[in-house]
Amino acid sequence: MDNRMQETPDTPATQEERLAALTDRLRTVYDLGAAQALMHWDQETYMPPQAVGLRSEQLATLSRLSHEHLVSPETEATISALEGKDAPDPKTEAGATVRLARRSFDRATKLPESLVAESARATSLAQPAWVEARQRADFALFAPHLEGIIDLQRRTAECLGYGDHPYDALLDLYEPGARKAALELVFEELKERIVPLLARVTEAASREATARDSVLLGEFDEAAQEAFVRSVLTDLGYRWDRGRQDRVVHAFCINIGGPEDVRLTTNFSPARIDKALFTSMHEAGHGMYEQGVDPAYSRTPLGGGVSMGVHESQSRLFENLVGRSRPFWSHYLPRLKEAFPEAFAGVGTEAFYRAVNEARPGFIRIDSDELTYNLHILLRFELEVALIEGTLSVSDLPDAWNERMERYLGLVPENDALGVLQDVHWSAGLFGYFPTYTLGNVLSVQLYQAALEDHPEIPTETATGRFETLRGWMEEHVYRHGSRYDPEDLIPRATGRPLTAAPYLEYLEEKFTDLYAL
């Protein structure tokens, strides 16, 4: 028996009319989402501190209205009618619109309002508890909240449904089509080759008299930093007429409804020159992706980046493959010297290149280098899968964390703040999010190499501060498609093969073998 909503007398009669009606109806949902995004941006940048309570009520109202509009009987009836006789070809824009509308509708209706409310309440209480626990380096203060969140995550997975493992349902929220079993194969391949490579690098580094990154330390005027960063982002192709950059504690990029309004944020360190630059290049990678989506997709299911992993591929590509390359610094070090002549007098391109690529195991994920970063993600992936499936208890989590830190990075955190409490993700209920960081790293190299195959001149252009060819390739093969293709379709279309870790591992081995003369 078909239990989908039946059409009403007011439902449009033709498929073209139904698609237009669905698109019009969903525009309200996306406009409400854009208003929420603008409020979130304001809350992180300029909102007065005393407005927190008012803003939370405003956001709750917009969220409720958006949800009600999305899950209405009229929306369901129109989607069901479009899926019936003469359904649009799934490969077309119309077919993709229907598929994505159904996905959004099903996710919204599968989760009971009581579960959504309970999850929101639990995370709102967990966030300040996590902050206090981290300040005191005392996991016990946060543990009861985490236990409750994990229970809610399991219930969420059951409501959403899954095939092989409950973690699949959570992962699909951030990376459509990704599965735990496939990720385990990717992480195992990374672990087998990165761990021994890191051991060799660490041994080579131990013989060096001084830390390579010492040339990055000093006193750097923030206004001069900001001017330099802005010039680099302009060269990369970030559109200032469609965006802006503001200062925050934790940097982010946010799309306010379409490619015409994509905003960046960053933070500056007066004591370290590379922090603001690489943070900004990272967020600009996200921003150029959003700015490059076909404008016709605005306020439709096709708008915006397709997944967190694909999004992260762009931020990591411009931060690491471009920003930490020799060609990049052959052009930009002289410009940096013009901005800070005393700080970098006598510093050569090779020394600076080695400084921004120093590999050193550390406790903090967000401060980790290109070589060690994925080991931090591997640790978190293994632990949160075990937590969801119940093979690891919350009470045993700190010890499990420390054991894996020692196994993968050769370090043991001296307290919980440096260990299990360092990330905000679990207090926010973001289980399934961490692996997308590594997927982005892996995909960044696969996409970059595909671009090089078509345009071998890209490194030469980078050495002259020109990025039109690279950005143009990404616009053609990734950006403009928005969310039309799921990652499992987009990646082969762009690179000629499914996601594979081989190019990424070859890149790391070649780069760090050269950097440390292994």
Side-chain angles (χ1 to χ4, degrees):
M1 178 179 178
D2 188 348
N3 60 3
R4 292 179 298 185
M5 293 292 299
Q6 300 301 308
E7 291 186 79
T8 69
D10 295 328
T11 303
T14 69
Q15 289 293 65
E16 291 77 10
E17 291 172 339
R18 290 166 182 151
L19 185 63
L22 177 63
T23 302
D24 285 342
R25 184 162 193 82
L26 292 179
R27 284 197 178 102
T28 298
V29 175
Y30 292 112
D31 286 346
L32 288 168
Q36 289 176 277
L38 184 59
M39 286 186 173
H40 280 299
W41 170 83
D42 176 66
Q43 187 168 359
E44 295 293 328
T45 52
Y46 299 111
M47 189 186 78
Q50 290 299 313
V52 172
L54 174 63
R55 181 55 46 85
S56 66
E57 295 298 328
Q58 295 166 339
L59 287 168
T61 297
L62 291 177
S63 179
R64 175 178 55 79
L65 291 173
S66 176
H67 182 269
E68 289 175 355
H69 204 76
L70 175 60
V71 303
S72 69
E74 292 82 3
T75 302
E76 162 68 345
T78 306
I79 295 174
S80 295
L82 282 163
E83 293 171 327
K85 183 180 179 182
D86 300 324
D89 184 343
K91 296 181 181 179
T92 64
E93 291 182 356
T97 298
V98 175
R99 170 175 55 82
L100 293 169
R102 168 59 70 184
R103 178 184 292 168
S104 296
F105 181 88
D106 286 349
R107 284 178 176 173
T109 55
K110 285 180 178 179
L111 297 177
E113 290 187 12
S114 59
L115 178 58
V116 173
E118 191 175 352
S119 297
R121 188 178 305 111
T123 54
S124 67
L125 293 173
Q127 293 268 0
W130 169 77
V131 171
E132 182 182 3
R134 188 180 185 191
Q135 290 173 343
R136 298 189 181 187
D138 186 357
F139 179 72
L141 297 175
F142 176 59
H145 295 275
L146 182 57
E147 288 174 345
I149 287 173
I150 290 170
D151 177 66
L152 290 166
Q153 290 292 301
R154 291 171 181 158
R155 289 163 56 189
T156 296
E158 293 300 324
C159 290
L160 293 173
Y162 54 88
D164 299 325
H165 195 280
Y167 192 76
D168 292 344
L170 305 176
L171 180 62
D172 192 69
L173 294 172
Y174 310 104
E175 195 66 24
R179 295 293 178 263
K180 164 187 165 288
L183 277 177
E184 287 175 329
L185 296 176
V186 172
F187 276 115
E188 188 62 29
E189 189 176 359
L190 295 175
K191 178 170 59 176
E192 287 180 356
R193 292 172 66 176
I194 291 177
V195 170
L197 176 60
L198 176 60
R200 294 166 61 203
V201 167
T202 302
E203 172 62 25
S206 69
R207 296 191 292 269
E208 298 182 357
T210 59
R212 296 184 177 194
D213 68 347
S214 59
V215 301
L216 306 176
L217 307 179
E219 295 182 7
F220 304 101
D221 178 73
E222 291 189 19
Q225 284 193 62
E226 188 169 15
F228 178 75
V229 165
R230 187 179 179 92
S231 71
V232 172
L233 300 194
T234 300
D235 291 347
L236 291 180
Y238 177 73
R239 295 275 302 272
W240 296 103
D241 59 340
R242 296 183 172 193
R244 56 181 293 126
Q245 185 178 45
D246 297 275
R247 299 190 184 196
V248 292
V249 176
H250 301 290
F252 63 91
C253 168
I254 193 165
N255 178 341
I256 313 294
E260 300 85 356
D261 191 351
V262 182
R263 308 183 185 196
L264 311 181
T265 64
T266 193
N267 50 62
F268 291 85
S269 169
R272 190 176 177 104
I273 191 60
D274 59 331
K275 182 177 179 61
L277 174 63
F278 289 127
T279 298
S280 298
M281 293 182 73
H282 181 102
E283 300 306 334
H286 288 302
M288 289 187 294
Y289 184 2
E290 291 291 337
Q291 289 182 339
V293 174
D294 188 335
Y297 293 169
S298 293
R299 304 167 70 217
T300 78
L302 304 181
V306 66
S307 74
M308 294 307 302
V310 175
H311 237 302
E312 194 68 11
S313 76
Q314 296 308 299
S315 61
R316 299 299 271 185
L317 188 154
F318 283 96
E319 175 191 358
N320 291 330
L321 301 180
V322 173
R324 298 183 195 274
S325 70
R326 279 191 179 95
F328 182 88
W329 285 109
S330 70
H331 179 75
Y332 284 99
L333 182 58
R335 287 173 54 174
L336 188 64
K337 287 183 175 183
E338 291 177 4
F340 302 98
E342 294 183 4
F344 299 110
V347 177
T349 301
E350 188 64 18
F352 200 89
Y353 167 72
R354 291 175 180 273
V356 298
N357 285 290
E358 183 175 38
R360 182 193 304 159
F363 295 109
I364 307 301
R365 174 187 61 85
I366 60 174
D367 294 334
S368 61
D369 55 79
E370 202 175 0
L371 182 59
T372 62
Y373 187 90
N374 294 297
L375 299 178
H376 287 271
I377 303 302
L378 167 63
L379 178 154
R380 289 155 174 78
F381 168 68
E382 291 180 342
L383 293 179
E384 66 179 23
V385 167
L387 289 168
I388 292 298
E389 66 187 14
T391 55
L392 174 67
S393 68
V394 169
S395 61
D396 292 332
L397 182 58
D399 288 340
W401 180 289
N402 293 348
E403 185 275 328
R404 280 174 171 78
M405 278 291 293
E406 184 173 22
R407 188 197 315 171
Y408 299 147
L409 291 156
L411 303 171
V412 178
E414 62 186 50
N415 57 53
D416 291 339
L418 290 175
V420 69
L421 288 171
Q422 68 175 268
D423 290 302
V424 71
H425 296 61
W426 289 340
S427 66
L430 298 179
F431 281 76
Y433 190 105
F434 276 124
T436 65
Y437 291 127
T438 285
L439 289 175
N441 284 333
V442 169
L443 182 56
S444 69
V445 175
Q446 188 170 334
L447 286 168
Y448 186 71
Q449 289 192 355
L452 287 181
E453 290 174 4
D454 290 345
H455 300 285
E457 69 274 18
I458 286 174
T460 302
E461 292 182 351
T462 298
T464 61
R466 295 168 48 224
F467 305 96
E468 298 91 343
T469 302
L470 175 60
R471 191 184 65 256
W473 191 95
M474 294 298 161
E475 288 175 345
E476 174 65 22
H477 294 86
V478 180
Y479 299 174
R480 69 183 181 91
H481 299 299
S483 294
R484 177 176 175 179
Y485 303 106
D486 277 349
E488 61 186 3
D489 297 319
L490 178 69
I491 295 169
R493 286 177 61 91
T495 70
R497 56 177 168 171
L499 180 77
T500 172
Y504 180 65
L505 286 166
E506 292 167 3
Y507 159 77
L508 288 179
E509 289 177 342
E510 180 179 347
K511 180 173 184 176
F512 285 93
T513 295
D514 169 64
L515 278 164
Y516 285 88
L518 301 180

